[in-house]
Amino acid sequence: MSFAQLIGDWHALFVLFVAGVVPNQIWRMLGLWFGGGIDEGSELLVWVRAVATAILAGVIAQIVVEPPGALASVPDVLRYGAVAAGLVVFLLTRRSIFAGVVAGEVFMLAGTWWLG
Amino acid sequence: MALPPLDSPQWQSPWRAFAWGLRSITQTILTLVLFATYLGIGALAHDSHFSLLWALCSTLFVWAGPAQIILITTLGSGATVIQSAIAVTVSAIRLFPMVVSVLPLMRTPTTKRRELFFAAHLTAVTLWVECHRFLPQVPRERRIAFVNGLGFGLVSVCLTANTVGYFLAANLTKTLGAAILLLTPLSFLFSTARNSREVADVVALALGVLLYPLAAKMNSGLDILVSGLVAGTIAYSVHWWREVRA
């Protein structure tokens, strides 16, 4: 791999700025601007936090339902099963993130191996 | 490692607070999860023919895992810059309420807006979750320094992971790649569930997951926004209804 390959071209970096950096920073800076006058215990903030949580939940569902890259090669039943298995273990272990993640991964890897 | 008590002299210097924030990255499983997620992003960038510098800049300046995965996947599969920008803008909307809810935890009556700039930039899912966990144990006037330290540490871990993943990419099998990508939804789901103390948080999380596939059927391009607003508002109504009855 050459040095030039590691740097890439300026066009790609420009695209990163337009399609990646600006769309993210807009929301953060709006939050910085409008967050100023809001009290942390306010009802508006309870609503805003609920919406933030639900949007994140949507991203989680999106990655499992419409998987990117290599994850798309895993059958639907294994992806959904992995989340379900992880959730059961997470709840049984009194909400251990580590146990839940490991259980989900083991389910998917074992299933992939079993299905050949 | 436990953080010093709130009245400890350890908190007198902002640099010490920064150092405590930096050290706190060793206190959370999410650091490991971030490492694995960014290992995957580095590998994904390599396989989609982006340069290492591009991958590192995306981590440094975008600093949002889901947005980076969407950006790489859409651009890599031939979407236009405009199409990618719209998808990323929608995925990034959640940063707005996160910043709005996290900054008041750090503000004092004398805090200037520009002092919160880096904290706002560093705000993403992991930092948001960790702020709610760590900040009650940090004196209010040192919270900005603490968060800057925590964020600096997390960004460094992710830049390292990107570089390792980029060079590993050639050797990563498809199954292993899938396992790394699966880490993202699993870890985000369980870490958010663990930090949901109020009924509204639990309802928002569960409904948000369940409503997304329905919203996606509408194919509006704003699926995440629609399901998030509906699920979040229902969750808030549940909270409001309980308050009124109490």
Side-chain angles (χ1 to χ4, degrees):
Chain A
M1 202 179 302
S2 73
F3 184 70
Q5 272 176 305
L6 293 179
I7 299 297
D9 61 81
W10 295 107
H11 176 254
L13 289 174
F14 177 73
V15 170
L16 169 65
F17 181 78
V18 172
V21 177
V22 170
N24 279 279
Q25 298 306 354
I26 278 178
W27 297 112
R28 287 190 174 113
M29 292 309 125
L30 280 175
L32 178 60
W33 198 254
F34 288 113
I38 299 175
D39 165 37
E40 77 188 79
S42 74
E43 287 293 292
L44 177 63
L45 219 67
V46 176
W47 176 75
V48 153
R49 203 180 60 199
V51 173
T53 304
I55 289 177
L56 173 62
V59 175
I60 292 168
Q62 187 184 29
I63 295 176
V64 177
V65 176
E66 299 155 14
L71 195 55
S73 67
V74 175
D76 289 0
V77 60
L78 285 184
R79 294 196 311 271
Y80 300 141
V83 174
L87 188 61
V88 169
V89 170
F90 170 76
L91 294 173
L92 286 179
T93 52
R94 290 199 297 172
R95 308 214 274 183
S96 159
I97 300 171
F98 185 74
V101 169
V102 169
E105 291 286 344
V106 167
F107 184 94
M108 195 206 78
L109 289 172
T112 313
W113 176 77
W114 189 65
L115 291 177
Chain B
M1 181 198 90
L3 291 172
L6 287 177
D7 53 2
S8 160
Q10 293 266 5
W11 291 114
Q12 277 173 13
S13 137
W15 288 106
R16 287 295 278 276
F18 182 91
W20 278 110
L22 193 57
R23 286 176 64 179
S24 294
I25 66 168
T26 61
Q27 295 308 297
T28 164
I29 183 73
L30 292 183
T31 302
L32 251 182
V33 167
L34 264 190
F35 186 86
T37 303
Y38 277 81
L39 204 67
I41 291 176
L44 192 63
H46 175 272
D47 284 0
S48 311
H49 310 292
F50 289 99
S51 69
L52 178 61
L53 179 69
W54 191 97
L56 296 178
C57 283
S58 88
T59 297
L60 201 53
F61 298 116
V62 174
W63 189 236
Q68 288 173 255
I69 290 178
I70 292 168
L71 186 64
I72 294 171
T73 317
T74 52
L75 288 176
S77 62
T80 66
V81 177
I82 301 293
Q83 286 169 332
S84 292
I86 291 173
V88 173
T89 304
V90 171
S91 86
I93 290 171
R94 73 186 193 290
L95 296 174
F96 171 71
M98 274 182 201
V99 171
V100 170
S101 76
V102 102
L103 293 188
L105 299 175
M106 300 167 217
R107 233 187 11 243
T108 68
T110 56
T111 304
K112 299 203 169 48
R113 195 171 269 138
R114 63 169 187 275
E115 296 172 53
L116 292 164
F117 178 81
F118 284 110
H121 169 66
L122 291 167
T123 300
V125 182
T126 304
L127 196 91
W128 180 62
V129 167
E130 295 304 340
C131 279
H132 284 285
R133 192 161 76 101
F134 284 124
L135 288 187
Q137 307 168 53
V138 178
R140 182 167 280 275
E141 65 277 15
R142 290 289 170 259
R143 287 180 179 177
I144 296 176
F146 180 89
V147 168
N148 286 341
L150 180 64
F152 179 80
L154 293 176
V155 172
S156 307
V157 165
C158 291
L159 292 175
T160 308
N162 273 164
T163 309
V164 174
Y166 195 86
F167 287 109
L168 271 182
N171 305 311
L172 219 58
T173 66
K174 200 171 223 181
T175 308
L176 199 58
I180 286 177
L181 287 169
L182 187 69
L183 279 171
T184 311
L186 289 178
S187 57
F188 284 164
L189 179 64
F190 301 143
S191 54
T192 312
R194 195 184 156 84
N195 284 279
S196 300
R197 288 185 195 88
E198 313 262 338
V199 177
D201 299 330
V202 179
V203 175
L205 183 61
L207 268 186
V209 167
L210 296 176
L211 286 185
Y212 171 76
L214 288 179
K217 285 212 175 9
M218 287 162 39
N219 224 346
S220 60
L222 298 169
D223 315 335
I224 296 266
L225 182 61
V226 170
S227 67
L229 270 177
V230 172
T233 305
I234 293 174
Y236 174 75
S237 315
V238 171
H239 156 87
W240 183 82
W241 189 68
R242 286 168 56 99
E243 293 273 290
V244 168
R245 289 216 330 167

